[in-house]
Amino acid sequence: MTAEVNRDQHVDLVHASLGERELAAVAEVFASGWPAGQGPRGKALESELAERYGVPGAVATSNCGAALHLALLALGVREGDEVIVADYTFPAPAHAVRWVGGTPVFADVRADTGTVDPDAVADLVGPRTVGVIAVDTVGLPADYAELNEIAERRGLFLVEDAACAVGATYRGAPAGALAPVACLSFHGRKGATSGEGGALLTADPALAADARVRSSFGIGSIFDQARVVGLPIPEFTEIGYNYKLSDIAAAILGVQLERVGELRERRHAVAARYAELLAEEELLTLPSVPDDRTHAWQSYMVTLDPRLDRAAVAARLRARGVGCGHGTWASHLQPVYGTDQKCPVSADLFARNLAIPMHAELTEAQTERVAFALRDALSHERKGAA
Ligand SMILES: *Cc1c(COP(=O)(O)O)cnc(C)c1O
């Protein structure tokens, strides 16, 4: 056997859906002469986001990490404060808490959805707790009815990290509008993308204004300043950051937002086909989506039976040109946080989940090839597991 993989047969784990329409939008920005941030395209994007999510405040940012940082600054998180974070996720929430000098406290997740367990959150609230960051795990919204109730009752802020969840819904409302503050990612691995990009969404206009000024070195829009009459000289009032989204990226996102429905339908079709093709496989647990919400399918993760060797299954898939990965992280196990907290459910998902190809460009034939390759890998590995 050879390790060579036929390129035509390769099925990517992820693949962004960017094409001619996005290129045409970029060409318009080039012609306009304003490629930097907070220009006409950036402002239009912020209006589109505010309207789409039904919130007064939308701030376009260079990425979701920046949006989380701005959110915690605007919410006033300081050194010594504890913020409860969902454990099973790309660990941006815990990083953001550390950026402002706070202490992340890791909350375990539900075994069926991988989203933060509201009971775990309630149990972790202590005298230093100031807020909670919930995560829409690889595109599936968390339990916001319970989470908002806990936050209100205990006087905590609630941030929705909807980085992966553009296009998902919870009880009919869009992910990104499920908590008083939400952060989106437009990274190339998410459902709508400008390569890199993000947004902060909030029901609180003052919080949005605070985040916008801090995203721009602590002064207002340079584009606007070039247009005022006279020569008022703006003053710096904050040690802000440069977290602006370029107008080039904003133009790409204007097109991507129009395509969210179409791209989501294609991901849904892939997930539905996987569910059919893998339903009989007793060594797998397939993703479960509660009736009151829909999934954006940023990733499709299956949970392997504990007797299986995940690395061996992955090696078999890769040898056949099928991309795969471990899924996401158990944050509390990352050495950088130096915590001795335990989140056993998250640790178990981190050890057993396997992400298989999921994106809007997958063909029916590729979807079937992935499912058959996975079943074949399982049948080989099953022997070792028996
Ligand atoms: C991808 C991701 C982020 C980071 O998004 P960037 O735009 O790359 O900064 C944050 N949180 C979660 C849950 C993510 O999956």
Side-chain angles (χ1 to χ4, degrees), residues 51-207:
E51 191 179 339
R52 167 178 280 264
Y53 290 93
V55 291
V59 183
T61 60
S62 48
N63 55 63
C64 181
L68 286 165
H69 190 187
L70 294 172
L72 296 185
L73 289 167
L75 288 162
V77 179
R78 288 184 312 204
E79 198 163 336
D81 290 344
E82 290 183 359
V83 178
I84 298 171
V85 296
D87 194 66
Y88 187 54
T89 179
F90 185 83
H95 267 48
V97 174
R98 289 284 297 269
W99 290 335
V100 296
T103 304
V105 175
F106 302 94
D108 209 353
V109 297
R110 286 173 52 164
D112 57 345
T113 59
T115 54
V116 69
D117 179 352
D119 292 334
V121 170
D123 287 346
L124 289 168
V125 178
R128 290 162 63 193
T129 310
V130 295
V132 180
I133 306 176
V135 174
D136 300 335
T137 314
V138 300
L140 182 65
D143 294 294
Y144 287 98
E146 292 83 354
L147 292 166
N148 275 300
E149 195 272 326
I150 293 165
E152 269 162 44
R153 186 158 41 85
R154 308 300 293 266
L156 308 173
F157 67 74
L158 177 63
V159 172
E160 175 189 8
D161 181 341
C164 298
V166 171
T169 60
Y170 173 82
R171 302 190 180 177
L178 303 176
V181 182
C183 298
L184 306 180
S185 174
F186 302 119
H187 181 267
R189 284 197 62 168
K190 318 292 187 181
T193 184
S194 48
E196 300 278 353
L200 180 152
L201 304 171
T202 177
D204 178 351
L207 195 148

Side-chain angles (χ1 to χ4, degrees), residues 265-275 300 357-359 362 367:
E265 288 321 307
R266 283 155 66 182
R267 287 171 181 263
H268 270 280
V270 172
R273 193 75 184 112
Y274 279 152
Y300 191 94
M358 171 52 84
H359 53 80
L362 283 173
T367 308

Side-chain angles (χ1 to χ4, degrees), residues 9 47 93-94 152 207 217 276 278 309 323 339 358 370:
Q9 296 288 306
S47 308
E152 269 162 44
L207 195 148
F217 278 114
E276 279 167 17
L278 299 171
D309 177 347
T339 179
M358 171 52 84
V370 172

Side-chain angles (χ1 to χ4, degrees), residues 233-263:
I233 304 199
E235 292 184 322
F236 289 85
T237 53
E238 294 283 350
I239 298 296
Y241 298 83
N242 185 358
Y243 283 166
K244 299 185 300 297
L245 184 77
S246 76
D247 267 34
I248 297 172
I252 295 171
L253 286 171
V255 177
Q256 287 271 295
L257 288 180
E258 287 176 14
R259 297 181 61 198
V260 164
E262 161 214 337
L263 298 175

